Amino acid sequence: MTGAVVRPLPDPHAFLARRARWSAPEILFWLSTLLPFWLFPDYLSLASQIAVWALFAISVDLILGYAGIVTLGHAVFFGIGAYTAGLLGKHGWGEPLSGLLIAATAAAAVGFLISFFVVRARHLALLMITIGIVFMAREAANALHWITGGSDGLQGIRIDPVLGRFEFDLWGTTAYGYALAVLFVAFVFCRRLVNSPFGLALQGIRENPTRMLAIGSPMRWRLQQVFTFSAGLAGLAGAVLAQTTETVSLESLGFQRSADVVIMLILGGTGRLYGGILGAVIFLVARDQLSDVNPRYWYFWIGMLLIGVVLFMRDGLLGGLSRLWDRVRGRGA
Amino acid sequence: MLRRTLFGTALAATLAAAGAAQAQQTLKIGVILPYSGQFADLATQLDNGIKLYVQQNGDTVAGRKIEIVRKDVGGIAPDVAKRLAQELVVRDRVDVLAGFALTPNAMAAGDVSEQAKKFMVVMNAATSIITTKSPFMTRTSLTTPQLNDTLGKWVAKNGGKRAFTMASDYGPGHDGEQAFQKAFREAGGEIVGAVRIPVENPDFSAFVQRAKDSGADVVYVWVPGGAQPAALGKALAERGLANTGVKIVGQGELTSEEALKSMGDAGLGIITAFNYDYTHDSAKNRDFVTAYRRAYNRNPDLFSVGGYDGMHVIYEAVKKAAGRTDGQVLIDAVKGMAWESPRGPVSIDAETRDIINTVYIRRVERRNGELVNAEIDRVERVKDPVKAAMR
């Protein structure tokens, strides 16, 4: 190492604090999420489902974007959350907030058990494991039809008004307010998490696991922790969907949902938290608009969009945009 | 500035007036179907039925112009179906909710129909309890128990004594199997064995062998359409079940046009219960099939008839209500309605708002070189047995 100039490291706490500071565009973004209430009052049910998907995408981003765990089976936890919240609502526990917590806890508990398998594999093997788990879970839910309602879906869910005041209405006003509030709280939590030493350790594992082991980071334990947390978040998303729509079907823990969320995340950009939100917005708004134009062949355009993004913006729309921004700023300076 | 404001106000007023006038003249029907994904062909056939009816009967009824808003639900997705139904009601302001190929989706949209008091016409989904979800809902297709209950009784009456059942291990399969078993037992038959088959099953040999070993004289089969009837036919031929004189029976999809093409001669002799086949012999059906073929270059099926009759119900209800469209008026207009459909005489049960069908018992035969479902018996005015048992 002769000749290398050793620079003093910046203060790590100052570094993290700087990353954790809320920027003006971020604050603006969250304020703009309130706009649909006034600008698109006819689209609030769609907006509420976008918020659910965004939350689900963030949960996947935590493990895929930050910790490097690839998965095509995360809908298992979404589904567990949805069925837990749905079953509570069906059997008289209609209070939504406690239902959310119970559902998220149930999903996290299962996530913890599964994490023992997940951290032992990487890449293709990991994909196989997660796909296997999602197929098993779906078949299990089908087989347990006296509990889950099987392929007819869970029927008879009744959810009380939120905080005893706001009933879930036909316009989706309560649904959107509720989903948005949950999304925001969860987002703040995740943001804190990724900008903590724990979050840095995850990114270190993603970039170079051998080295992280060498410097004494308990790699598997870290991965298990984040996987469990992410499973809980996914369960939270599922619970919100079950409560706001009062329906749960086998498809809520199916492969298609697991794949769709990864598509959204790739579209928006991984490893940025906001990528999942952007991806969910674009995917669902595009789907809504395109399928109105042609209900049969709208998926074609989604496919084109995905190919375009992957070809020209390797790290998603947000990644592409931020590079563009850097270039503009670089030229300006 | 003032002039501009005035102009703006005038424009807005005109638009509003035009909007109101238009709203009075149009009759908006929101159709929710799985136009994309694995059920897309079913949706196409159903939608063709809808289009053909509008084409034949004009797009104006009781002074109101029909406008159809189509929404793709993409497959089994009750959360999406419910949202689409909500949006159709609050955003598109439809007067009628229609379509619904799949049970979970129809159930979810039923909540919206009840909440918004909208008339809803289920044109395919076949689980019994769907129509109990909303008091403003009717159905123009069939119910699974309607067919299988009738089949069970018919088989027992016509010499079947010992039956073995094999059904796909999911909702519709369970419904069919249970209805058949119950009816067969009640009519004096004995169930000597039952097996449930994985939904995505590629090979039936083991199951057919078990059926053969059970010593049953009737084997009841319930499998979804697609690739499975062909695989089943292959196993039946291989294990030589047909040669032993055992009767193979099932619900009509088992021997649909496509299924028969893929099964070939292995399908000969299979007996099924169904509410419609394009070969049904009536003047009404001949005209229907001719028109359908001319328009879409293929034969109609039960989905097409569900859509066609669904539109008939909407048209007649709106006529009877003299153009009024609130849910209560329309559902009242539908109760007890009877008409001649391409499938034969049908009516809507005044109590349950569900369809009353003729159930045809058919046997696969070769006619003019083609395998067809030949009607050998019929049971008229069959109500849904599940709802009949509920009261």
Side-chain angles (χ1 to χ4, degrees), chain A residues 94-122:
Chain A
E95 205 290 308
L97 292 177
S98 53
L100 277 188
L101 287 182
I102 298 171
T105 312
V110 178
F112 180 67
L113 291 179
I114 291 180
S115 73
F116 285 92
F117 304 97
V118 165
V119 297
R120 268 154 218 279
R122 293 197 72 119

Short mmCIF file of all heavy atoms in Angstrom, two decimals, chain A residues 94-122:
data_model
loop_
_atom_site.label_atom_id
_atom_site.label_comp_id
_atom_site.label_asym_id
_atom_site.label_seq_id
_atom_site.Cartn_x
_atom_site.Cartn_y
_atom_site.Cartn_z
N GLY A 94 -63.40 -6.19 13.52
CA GLY A 94 -63.45 -5.26 12.40
C GLY A 94 -62.62 -4.01 12.59
O GLY A 94 -62.51 -3.18 11.69
N GLU A 95 -62.01 -3.85 13.78
CA GLU A 95 -61.24 -2.63 14.03
C GLU A 95 -60.01 -2.64 13.13
O GLU A 95 -59.18 -3.54 13.24
CB GLU A 95 -60.86 -2.57 15.52
CG GLU A 95 -60.60 -1.17 16.04
CD GLU A 95 -59.34 -0.53 15.49
OE1 GLU A 95 -58.28 -1.17 15.57
OE2 GLU A 95 -59.42 0.59 14.96
N PRO A 96 -59.87 -1.64 12.24
CA PRO A 96 -58.83 -1.74 11.21
C PRO A 96 -57.38 -1.60 11.71
O PRO A 96 -56.52 -2.38 11.30
CB PRO A 96 -59.18 -0.63 10.23
CG PRO A 96 -60.11 0.28 10.93
CD PRO A 96 -60.77 -0.49 12.02
N LEU A 97 -57.11 -0.65 12.59
CA LEU A 97 -55.71 -0.39 12.93
C LEU A 97 -55.07 -1.57 13.66
O LEU A 97 -53.96 -2.00 13.34
CB LEU A 97 -55.60 0.88 13.78
CG LEU A 97 -55.94 2.16 13.00
CD1 LEU A 97 -55.89 3.37 13.91
CD2 LEU A 97 -55.00 2.34 11.83
N SER A 98 -55.78 -2.12 14.64
CA SER A 98 -55.23 -3.29 15.33
C SER A 98 -55.13 -4.46 14.37
O SER A 98 -54.19 -5.27 14.44
CB SER A 98 -56.09 -3.65 16.54
OG SER A 98 -57.43 -3.82 16.13
N GLY A 99 -56.09 -4.55 13.45
CA GLY A 99 -56.04 -5.59 12.43
C GLY A 99 -54.77 -5.51 11.61
O GLY A 99 -54.11 -6.52 11.32
N LEU A 100 -54.40 -4.26 11.25
CA LEU A 100 -53.17 -4.05 10.49
C LEU A 100 -51.96 -4.59 11.24
O LEU A 100 -51.12 -5.30 10.69
CB LEU A 100 -52.92 -2.55 10.29
CG LEU A 100 -53.61 -1.81 9.17
CD1 LEU A 100 -53.05 -0.41 9.07
CD2 LEU A 100 -53.41 -2.54 7.86
N LEU A 101 -51.89 -4.23 12.53
CA LEU A 101 -50.72 -4.63 13.33
C LEU A 101 -50.63 -6.15 13.45
O LEU A 101 -49.57 -6.74 13.28
CB LEU A 101 -50.80 -4.00 14.72
CG LEU A 101 -50.52 -2.50 14.74
CD1 LEU A 101 -50.58 -1.96 16.16
CD2 LEU A 101 -49.14 -2.22 14.13
N ILE A 102 -51.79 -6.77 13.69
CA ILE A 102 -51.78 -8.23 13.83
C ILE A 102 -51.35 -8.87 12.52
O ILE A 102 -50.52 -9.79 12.49
CB ILE A 102 -53.18 -8.73 14.25
CG1 ILE A 102 -53.54 -8.15 15.62
CG2 ILE A 102 -53.21 -10.25 14.30
CD1 ILE A 102 -54.97 -8.39 16.05
N ALA A 103 -51.89 -8.35 11.41
CA ALA A 103 -51.57 -8.91 10.10
C ALA A 103 -50.08 -8.78 9.79
O ALA A 103 -49.44 -9.72 9.33
CB ALA A 103 -52.40 -8.23 9.02
N ALA A 104 -49.53 -7.58 10.08
CA ALA A 104 -48.11 -7.36 9.80
C ALA A 104 -47.26 -8.28 10.66
O ALA A 104 -46.25 -8.84 10.20
CB ALA A 104 -47.74 -5.89 10.05
N THR A 105 -47.66 -8.45 11.92
CA THR A 105 -46.90 -9.32 12.81
C THR A 105 -46.93 -10.76 12.31
O THR A 105 -45.90 -11.46 12.30
CB THR A 105 -47.50 -9.28 14.23
OG1 THR A 105 -47.69 -7.91 14.58
CG2 THR A 105 -46.57 -9.92 15.22
N ALA A 106 -48.10 -11.21 11.87
CA ALA A 106 -48.21 -12.58 11.37
C ALA A 106 -47.29 -12.77 10.16
O ALA A 106 -46.55 -13.77 10.07
CB ALA A 106 -49.65 -12.87 10.98
N ALA A 107 -47.31 -11.80 9.24
CA ALA A 107 -46.47 -11.92 8.05
C ALA A 107 -45.00 -11.91 8.43
O ALA A 107 -44.19 -12.67 7.88
CB ALA A 107 -46.78 -10.78 7.07
N ALA A 108 -44.64 -11.04 9.39
CA ALA A 108 -43.24 -10.96 9.81
C ALA A 108 -42.80 -12.27 10.46
O ALA A 108 -41.67 -12.73 10.26
CB ALA A 108 -43.05 -9.78 10.78
N ALA A 109 -43.70 -12.87 11.24
CA ALA A 109 -43.35 -14.13 11.90
C ALA A 109 -43.04 -15.21 10.88
O ALA A 109 -42.03 -15.92 10.96
CB ALA A 109 -44.49 -14.57 12.81
N VAL A 110 -43.92 -15.33 9.87
CA VAL A 110 -43.66 -16.32 8.82
C VAL A 110 -42.39 -15.94 8.05
O VAL A 110 -41.58 -16.80 7.70
CB VAL A 110 -44.87 -16.42 7.86
CG1 VAL A 110 -44.58 -17.40 6.75
CG2 VAL A 110 -46.10 -16.84 8.62
N GLY A 111 -42.22 -14.64 7.83
CA GLY A 111 -41.01 -14.16 7.14
C GLY A 111 -39.76 -14.58 7.88
O GLY A 111 -38.77 -14.99 7.27
N PHE A 112 -39.81 -14.49 9.21
CA PHE A 112 -38.64 -14.87 10.00
C PHE A 112 -38.31 -16.34 9.80
O PHE A 112 -37.16 -16.72 9.58
CB PHE A 112 -38.89 -14.56 11.47
CG PHE A 112 -37.74 -14.92 12.36
CD1 PHE A 112 -36.54 -14.22 12.27
CD2 PHE A 112 -37.84 -15.95 13.28
CE1 PHE A 112 -35.46 -14.56 13.07
CE2 PHE A 112 -36.76 -16.29 14.08
CZ PHE A 112 -35.57 -15.60 13.97
N LEU A 113 -39.34 -17.18 9.83
CA LEU A 113 -39.10 -18.62 9.64
C LEU A 113 -38.49 -18.89 8.26
O LEU A 113 -37.52 -19.63 8.12
CB LEU A 113 -40.42 -19.40 9.77
CG LEU A 113 -41.00 -19.44 11.18
CD1 LEU A 113 -42.31 -20.22 11.19
CD2 LEU A 113 -40.00 -20.07 12.15
N ILE A 114 -39.07 -18.24 7.25
CA ILE A 114 -38.60 -18.49 5.88
C ILE A 114 -37.20 -17.91 5.68
O ILE A 114 -36.42 -18.41 4.87
CB ILE A 114 -39.62 -17.92 4.88
CG1 ILE A 114 -40.89 -18.77 4.94
CG2 ILE A 114 -39.06 -17.91 3.46
CD1 ILE A 114 -41.98 -18.33 4.01
N SER A 115 -36.86 -16.87 6.45
CA SER A 115 -35.57 -16.22 6.25
C SER A 115 -34.40 -17.19 6.47
O SER A 115 -33.33 -17.02 5.89
CB SER A 115 -35.44 -15.02 7.19
OG SER A 115 -35.25 -15.46 8.53
N PHE A 116 -34.62 -18.23 7.28
CA PHE A 116 -33.54 -19.20 7.50
C PHE A 116 -33.14 -19.89 6.20
O PHE A 116 -31.98 -20.20 5.99
CB PHE A 116 -33.97 -20.24 8.54
CG PHE A 116 -33.96 -19.71 9.94
CD1 PHE A 116 -35.11 -19.16 10.49
CD2 PHE A 116 -32.79 -19.72 10.70
CE1 PHE A 116 -35.10 -18.64 11.77
CE2 PHE A 116 -32.78 -19.21 11.99
CZ PHE A 116 -33.94 -18.67 12.53
N PHE A 117 -34.14 -20.15 5.34
CA PHE A 117 -33.83 -20.76 4.05
C PHE A 117 -33.24 -19.74 3.09
O PHE A 117 -32.30 -20.02 2.36
CB PHE A 117 -35.08 -21.35 3.40
CG PHE A 117 -35.78 -22.35 4.25
CD1 PHE A 117 -36.86 -21.99 5.02
CD2 PHE A 117 -35.34 -23.67 4.27
CE1 PHE A 117 -37.50 -22.91 5.82
CE2 PHE A 117 -35.98 -24.60 5.07
CZ PHE A 117 -37.06 -24.22 5.85
N VAL A 118 -33.84 -18.55 3.13
CA VAL A 118 -33.52 -17.56 2.12
C VAL A 118 -32.07 -17.10 2.19
O VAL A 118 -31.41 -16.94 1.17
CB VAL A 118 -34.49 -16.36 2.26
CG1 VAL A 118 -33.99 -15.16 1.50
CG2 VAL A 118 -35.87 -16.77 1.77
N VAL A 119 -31.53 -16.92 3.41
CA VAL A 119 -30.19 -16.36 3.51
C VAL A 119 -29.12 -17.38 3.12
O VAL A 119 -27.95 -17.04 3.02
CB VAL A 119 -29.89 -15.82 4.92
CG1 VAL A 119 -30.83 -14.68 5.23
CG2 VAL A 119 -29.99 -16.92 5.95
N ARG A 120 -29.51 -18.61 2.92
CA ARG A 120 -28.52 -19.62 2.55
C ARG A 120 -28.25 -19.66 1.06
O ARG A 120 -27.38 -20.38 0.60
CB ARG A 120 -29.02 -21.00 3.00
CG ARG A 120 -28.53 -21.34 4.36
CD ARG A 120 -29.45 -22.32 5.04
NE ARG A 120 -29.55 -21.98 6.44
CZ ARG A 120 -28.64 -22.34 7.34
NH1 ARG A 120 -27.60 -23.04 7.00
NH2 ARG A 120 -28.77 -21.98 8.60
N ALA A 121 -29.04 -18.94 0.28
CA ALA A 121 -28.87 -19.02 -1.18
C ALA A 121 -28.75 -17.62 -1.76
O ALA A 121 -29.08 -16.62 -1.12
CB ALA A 121 -30.05 -19.74 -1.79
N ARG A 122 -28.22 -17.59 -2.98
CA ARG A 122 -28.18 -16.31 -3.69
C ARG A 122 -28.57 -16.53 -5.13
O ARG A 122 -28.60 -17.66 -5.62
CB ARG A 122 -26.77 -15.72 -3.64
CG ARG A 122 -26.33 -15.31 -2.25
CD ARG A 122 -25.14 -14.39 -2.33
NE ARG A 122 -25.53 -13.08 -2.83
CZ ARG A 122 -25.39 -11.96 -2.12
NH1 ARG A 122 -24.87 -11.97 -0.94
NH2 ARG A 122 -25.76 -10.80 -2.63
#
